[in-house]
């Protein structure tokens, strides 16, 4: 049996932190009841199922998709830092599924990896996820079973964990970025997860959407300070977004606040699964339009993602402070680099290793090795004693870019090719470029078996994944 409370009863403001003791004595009986029940109450229901979505806009025929609660992208799940959250997921598709809460440092059993942290959710069955997000920031959720098929057809949504005190932005915008490969009949190109897509850069669609729709112009007012939360929910597409005409500052990466910095060359790089929180100061003139440009794949593949269009209203504020807003840090433990446990993993494979035949067709082989053996995907490649700092070197022997994602942790990116990162920052997904070597570190404080994989989904499903154990 499940009980749903009206949103007002789920609000932490009533029973805010630091106030636990006070709350216990001052809450009304019904509030106390709500609080006790909130540990197990279902606060968010998610049902993946077939649906039709107007991805190409209202004027075009709808596309057959898989959708959470009928919408692409999925419903925006909003929760509060340090507050218990739970979700009942009911599988409405004809295939096993799970939900993975990407980037949340949660208990292993809630991580949503089939056969590793839970049995898959069978068609018609459900699973109850419950955790308390320790970090405020921009996260997302997606299936972790048949991911290329399910995410590729629309199953992905944003998970926003709010700070206890809302930072003083004039507006908070969310852009879930997805791309799609369409046939002329306005349906998806079938055959997700093909060997050809896997061997190359994965499926990169030609239609890019914001929050599930081909973007219409977005209206801004001059003289405002916006937070834009970017979520790259594409299977494989990298982006380099430019915002000419505005002042843009990166304030968080993968949900974790960073030392604010201006994107280098004005390009905001965002790989599959990564998130970037921007502060965008609308310093343009009233009545003007400005494009947002993605030029990641070079001049010939450059396109206009969306138009930011200023109203004629006079600037809300005559001048905006030069100092960016600094988000409060999350309680991620700092690595102790004086005596770390060291490990080295190498990414291998790609086009050159096509050769293993599957049904007479060549199959791409990607892999992760520790120098002795190649990971089989689900067996831990190494184990770390709990509490120790791990210094993990990632070496890319291939000629492709791999956004490498570790579940259950936010890690510090230390260096690239032995050059220290200019801004120490936390990530859960780091780009490792062709032939690049990236050092990351984290305190292994969250026990369990944690997936570590490339988030180009076709690479992941053809071998670019392993498991790291924290004992
Ligand atoms: Cu977005 Cu294995 O995760
Ligand atoms: Cu993840
Ligand atoms: Cu990859």
């Amino acid at each position: 049996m499940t009980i749903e409370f009206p949103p007002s009863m789920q609000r932490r403001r009533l029973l805010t932190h630091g106030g636990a003791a006070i709350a216990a004595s001052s809450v009304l009986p019904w509030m106390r009841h709500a609080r006790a029940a909130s540990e197990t109450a279902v606060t968010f229901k998610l049902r993946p199922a077939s649906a039709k979505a107007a991805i190409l806009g209202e004027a075009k025929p709808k596309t057959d998709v898989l959708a959470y609660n009928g919408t692409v992208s999925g419903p925006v799940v909003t929760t509060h830092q340090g507050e218990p959250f739970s979700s009942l997921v009911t599988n409405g598709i004809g295939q096993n599924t799970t939900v993975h809460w990407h980037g949340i440092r949660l208990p292993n059993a809630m991580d949503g990896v089939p056969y590793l942290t839970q049995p898959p959710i069978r068609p018609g069955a459900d699973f109850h996820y419950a955790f308390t997000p320790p970090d405020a920031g921009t996260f997302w959720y997606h299936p972790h079973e048949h991911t290329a098929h399910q995410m590729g057809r629309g199953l992905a949504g944003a998970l926003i964990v709010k700070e206890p005190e809302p930072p003083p932005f004039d507006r908070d915008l969310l852009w879930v970025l997805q791309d799609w490969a369409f046939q002329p009949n306005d349906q998806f190109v079938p055959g997700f997860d093909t060997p050809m897509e896997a061997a190359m850069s994965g499926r990169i669609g030609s239609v890019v959407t914001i929050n599930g729709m081909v973007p219409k112009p977005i209206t801004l007012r001059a003289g405002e300070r916006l937070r834009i939360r970017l979520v790259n929910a594409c299977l494989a597409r990298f982006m380099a977004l430019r915002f000419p005409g505005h002042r843009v500052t990166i304030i968080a990466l993968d949900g974790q606040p960073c030392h604010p910095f201006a994107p280098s060359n004005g390009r905001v790089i965002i790989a599959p699964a990564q998130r970037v929180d921007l502060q965008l100061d609308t310093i343009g003139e009233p009545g003007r339009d400005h494009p947002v440009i993605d030029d990641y794949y070079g001049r010939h593949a450059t396109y206009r993602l969306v138009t930011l269009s200023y109203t004629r209203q006079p600037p809300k504020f005559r001048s905006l402070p030069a100092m960016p807003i600094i988000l409060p840090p999350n309680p991620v433990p700092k690595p102790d680099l004086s005596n770390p446990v060291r490990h080295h993993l190498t990414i291998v494979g790609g086009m050159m290793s096509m050769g293993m035949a599957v049904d007479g067709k060549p199959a791409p082989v990607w892999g992760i090795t520790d120098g002795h053996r190649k990971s089989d995907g689900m067996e831990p490649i190494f184990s770390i004693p709990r509490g120790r700092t791990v210094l993990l070197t990632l070496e890319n022997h291939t000629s492709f870019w791999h956004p490498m994602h570790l579940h259950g942790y936010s890690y510090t990116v230390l260096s690239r090719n032995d050059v220290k990162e200019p801004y120490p920052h936390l990530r859960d997904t780091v780009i490792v470029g062709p032939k690049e070597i990236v050092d990351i570190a984290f305190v292994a404080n969250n026990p369990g078996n944690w997936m570590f994989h490339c988030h180009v989904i076709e690479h992941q499903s053809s071998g670019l994944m392993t498991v790291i154990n924290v004992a």
Side-chain angles (χ1 to χ4, degrees):
M1 198 193 65
T2 56
I3 306 158
E4 271 186 287
F5 291 104
S8 61
M9 291 177 72
Q10 296 162 16
R11 272 303 172 84
R12 78 177 323 180
R13 303 250 147 70
L14 297 172
L15 315 151
T16 195
H17 52 214
I22 304 160
S25 55
S26 65
V27 287
L28 300 166
W30 62 267
M31 290 169 76
R32 192 176 298 133
H33 175 75
R35 184 162 205 269
S38 76
E39 304 295 325
T40 51
V42 171
T43 55
F44 209 97
K45 287 187 175 181
L46 278 179
R47 184 169 185 273
S50 298
K52 290 187 184 292
I55 293 176
L56 295 165
E58 284 94 5
K60 287 272 205 164
K62 290 191 172 174
T63 304
D64 294 321
V65 298
L66 295 178
Y68 288 116
N69 302 1
T71 69
V72 172
S73 40
V76 180
V77 177
T78 304
T79 175
H80 289 86
Q81 183 176 22
E83 180 172 335
F85 167 80
S86 78
S87 178
L88 182 73
V89 177
T90 308
N91 185 355
I93 61 179
Q95 201 177 40
N96 290 347
T97 194
T98 61
V99 175
H100 169 58
W101 311 90
H102 183 119
I104 302 282
R105 298 187 297 128
L106 41 57
N108 193 250
M110 296 293 123
D111 197 40
V113 180
Y115 312 106
L116 188 71
T117 69
Q118 68 167 90
I121 312 173
R122 313 246 172 239
D126 54 30
F127 191 89
H128 190 187
Y129 294 92
F131 53 87
T132 299
D135 304 325
T138 306
F139 301 93
W140 65 300
Y141 61 95
H142 63 78
H144 223 285
E145 171 87 304
H146 308 291
T147 315
H149 294 266
Q150 296 182 10
M151 207 173 98
R153 287 187 172 84
L155 291 180
L159 169 61
I160 293 181
V161 184
K162 299 239 165 166
E163 296 84 4
E165 290 301 323
F169 296 100
D170 294 305
R171 281 203 284 157
D172 189 326
L173 304 182
L174 168 69
W175 293 5
V176 177
L177 303 163
Q178 288 163 297
D179 69 338
W180 319 91
F182 275 100
Q183 309 179 76
N185 67 359
D186 303 317
Q187 300 303 319
F188 296 144
V189 173
F192 286 85
D193 221 0
T194 64
M196 214 40 223
E197 284 170 341
M200 305 292 291
S201 305
R203 172 178 287 219
I204 296 177
S206 54
V207 174
V208 181
T209 57
I210 296 181
N211 302 335
M213 251 213 249
V214 172
K216 298 195 192 86
I218 294 173
T219 308
L220 305 179
R221 179 174 177 185
E224 283 190 309
R225 179 158 268 190
L226 312 181
R227 178 180 193 166
I228 304 187
R229 302 170 186 263
L230 305 172
V231 179
N232 186 337
C234 298
L235 293 176
R237 177 185 282 274
F238 289 61
M239 296 187 186
L241 300 180
R242 289 193 292 112
F243 298 79
H246 308 91
R247 187 166 66 202
V248 168
T249 311
I250 294 174
I251 55 172
L253 296 166
D254 293 354
Q256 299 293 351
C258 59
H259 179 86
F261 65 101
S264 85
N265 303 316
R267 294 167 94 221
V268 177
I269 307 285
I270 181 165
Q274 289 186 329
R275 285 88 63 217
V276 179
D277 283 38
L278 300 176
Q279 172 184 293
L280 185 131
D281 290 344
T282 55
I283 55 173
E285 272 162 40
R288 287 276 306 269
D289 282 354
H290 294 282
V292 177
I293 306 289
D294 175 9
D295 65 3
Y296 187 86
Y297 294 102
R299 205 152 52 86
H300 298 290
T302 296
Y303 66 99
R304 173 191 290 235
L305 172 67
V306 65
T307 300
L308 300 180
S309 138
Y310 282 68
T311 64
R312 298 194 176 281
Q313 289 167 285
K316 180 165 176 192
F317 295 104
R318 282 274 148 222
S319 73
L320 294 166
M323 264 291 280
I325 291 173
I326 303 203
L327 298 171
N330 285 321
V332 180
K334 291 234 176 337
D336 168 12
L337 294 169
S338 63
N339 181 28
V341 180
R342 285 173 189 268
H343 286 281
H344 189 124
L345 294 176
T346 305
I347 302 163
V348 296
M351 275 273 278
M352 303 321 290
S353 48
M354 283 184 65
M356 240 182 33
V358 174
D359 299 334
K361 291 189 220 99
V365 183
W366 295 97
I368 296 183
T369 80
D370 63 0
H372 304 286
R373 69 191 172 99
K374 200 163 142 182
S375 169
D376 76 346
M378 293 302 250
E379 274 295 307
I381 196 152
F382 58 74
S383 180
I384 311 157
R386 185 165 353 158
R388 290 293 301 274
T389 288
V390 195
L391 199 167
L392 176 55
T393 299
L394 307 172
E395 183 172 351
N396 181 357
H397 271 189
T398 79
S399 14
F400 287 80
W401 280 261
H402 304 289
M404 298 302 297
H405 170 49
L406 176 62
H407 286 210
Y409 284 89
S410 290
Y411 49 77
T412 303
V413 181
L414 299 172
S415 65
R416 276 174 199 278
N417 296 331
D418 282 330
V419 179
K420 264 187 140 192
E421 283 288 278
Y423 301 98
H425 59 272
L426 294 162
R427 281 278 191 196
D428 59 53
T429 306
V430 70
I431 300 172
V432 187
K435 314 294 176 202
E436 215 172 31
I437 297 178
V438 176
D439 279 346
I440 65 173
F442 57 97
V443 179
N445 63 346
N446 194 1
N449 286 324
W450 300 103
M451 294 286 307
F452 178 60
H453 63 86
C454 177
H455 224 289
V456 168
I457 300 299
E458 296 87 345
H459 291 177
Q460 174 196 358
S461 59
S462 53
L464 227 175
M465 66 172 194
T466 190
V467 170
I468 293 175
N469 172 266
V470 176

